Amino acid sequence: MSPVDLDKALARRFRNDHFHILLRCFTVGHSEKYLNRHCGQHTMIMRACIQAPAFQQIATTCRRRAELLFKRGIPVIKALCICSQGMHGSVAVANTLQHVYQQQGYNSIGPCNLSRNEWMRGMCDVCMHCKPKKEKDALISSVTKAYF
């Protein structure tokens, strides 16, 4: 799907909603087949996304756009993270950014995974690697230090 087609599809899907920041997370992800049954909250998927070369641009874009919106007095910012399946890259980026902004003292309602109902039956989001824990906190702290 071309960027123009994607923009048209997003406009149709979200015609009554407004997003301040659109983050295209297609180039962040993982290559491990055994992780396909896990969502982007899994520690290894988050690490792979954060370490992807494209993540730096995604994080920088989000930070710059958010700073501009805050300066304009917009108190609530909605960001839309998209990827090809809506369960790995976009989930990992959305969760990472949510935690980064919470660490900086902003309120967050948390990610709303629009594709959650489309995830495979048996998709894990509750194992010990998908639940928040110390290792994730360390990953989030590294992102905060590097990009924010």
Side-chain angles (χ1 to χ4, degrees):
M1 180 179 289
S2 74
V4 173
D5 291 338
L6 177 62
D7 290 341
K8 288 179 183 177
L10 290 171
R12 282 192 308 273
R13 171 68 171 88
F14 301 109
R15 73 176 62 116
N16 295 326
D17 208 346
H18 176 72
F19 291 93
H20 299 99
I21 303 171
L22 174 63
L23 301 170
R24 299 167 193 262
C25 308
F26 294 105
T27 54
V28 297
H30 66 91
S31 59
E32 305 297 331
K33 295 287 183 199
Y34 71 93
L35 292 173
N36 287 341
R37 284 246 180 247
H38 297 271
C39 69
Q41 296 171 329
H42 192 283
T43 308
M44 291 181 72
I45 295 172
M46 286 181 72
R47 182 180 296 114
C49 289
I50 291 168
Q51 292 174 346
F55 182 79
Q56 180 178 357
Q57 181 181 1
I58 291 169
T60 303
T61 299
C62 185
R63 187 195 76 233
R64 287 180 182 160
R65 184 83 174 123
E67 286 173 354
L68 196 95
L69 292 165
F70 287 135
K71 285 179 184 176
R72 290 184 184 167
I74 297 173
V76 177
I77 296 174
K78 292 182 183 179
L80 178 63
C81 299
I82 57 172
C83 67
S84 55
Q85 294 179 338
M87 62 185 177
H88 294 115
S90 61
V91 174
V93 170
N95 281 305
T96 300
L97 294 175
Q98 175 205 5
H99 293 297
V100 164
Y101 281 106
Q102 280 180 336
Q103 281 183 351
Q104 293 183 344
Y106 295 102
N107 292 330
S108 173
I109 59 169
C112 173
N113 299 312
L114 300 174
S115 298
R116 188 177 193 93
N117 293 335
E118 306 299 321
W119 290 354
M120 300 180 263
R121 184 180 258 156
M123 174 69 88
C124 177
D125 64 355
V126 295
C127 75
M128 64 182 246
H129 297 290
C130 289
K131 290 182 180 178
K133 61 180 191 163
K134 290 180 183 178
E135 190 174 351
K136 281 188 187 176
D137 290 342
L139 284 172
I140 303 302
S141 293
S142 70
V143 170
T144 303
K145 289 175 188 171
Y147 304 112
F148 295 85

